[in-house]
Amino acid sequence: MSTETADAENDLRERVTNFLRRNFPQIQMHGGSAAISHLDMETGEVHIQLGGACSGCGISPMTIQAIKSRMVKEIPEIETVHADTGMGGGADGDLGGTGGGMSPSFPGETSDDGDDEGPQAPF
């Protein structure tokens, strides 16, 4: 890997980390953690591992959905986000083992346009 490529990857890793800290402070505030487990600049894929209190937390699926939808909008180089709490992993490792294409729904939600930004933090 060239120095220029390494610098670009380090810059992207830093922007992803800052995105998580800025947009999802509740992860750390509630005793959880979020780390980049893999970043592929060629495909635009990032794998995020949620740990600590996130493992087994009932809100984790909603947090994961929000991370997935918002990160690709805010960081142009990221095209696909894979996130997992490590709780058994589903068919694709997403949504903490719910697998089968399930995603969280919210009261009153009627959007079928695929433009779901996930839940907004109550604080």
Side-chain angles (χ1 to χ4, degrees):
M1 182 181 310
S2 73
T3 303
E4 190 173 295
T5 304
D7 288 345
E9 182 173 332
N10 288 337
D11 176 64
L12 184 56
R13 280 183 178 274
E14 185 175 327
R15 290 187 311 161
V16 168
T17 299
N18 288 337
F19 165 86
L20 290 168
R21 284 186 190 135
R22 184 178 67 251
N23 291 288
F24 298 95
Q26 67 271 29
I27 292 173
Q28 191 170 16
M29 289 176 8
H30 295 164
S33 63
I36 301 168
S37 59
H38 179 71
L39 176 64
D40 188 332
M41 289 188 59
E42 288 183 28
T43 63
E45 288 185 71
V46 64
H47 294 255
I48 306 292
Q49 184 69 38
L50 299 178
C54 292
S55 297
C57 174
I59 300 295
S60 289
M62 289 181 278
T63 302
I64 289 170
Q65 185 64 32
I67 290 170
K68 287 179 166 188
S69 66
R70 292 167 63 185
M71 188 180 294
V72 296
K73 291 178 182 177
E74 286 193 33
I75 304 175
E77 296 90 341
I78 301 297
E79 294 184 23
T80 307
V81 179
H82 303 280
D84 187 9
T85 62
M87 293 295 295
D92 61 0
D94 291 337
L95 298 178
T98 58
M102 293 176 62
S103 62
S105 60
F106 307 98
E109 183 179 74
T110 58
S111 175
D112 289 325
D113 62 3
D115 195 30
D116 178 22
E117 290 195 23
Q120 296 299 313
F123 41 88

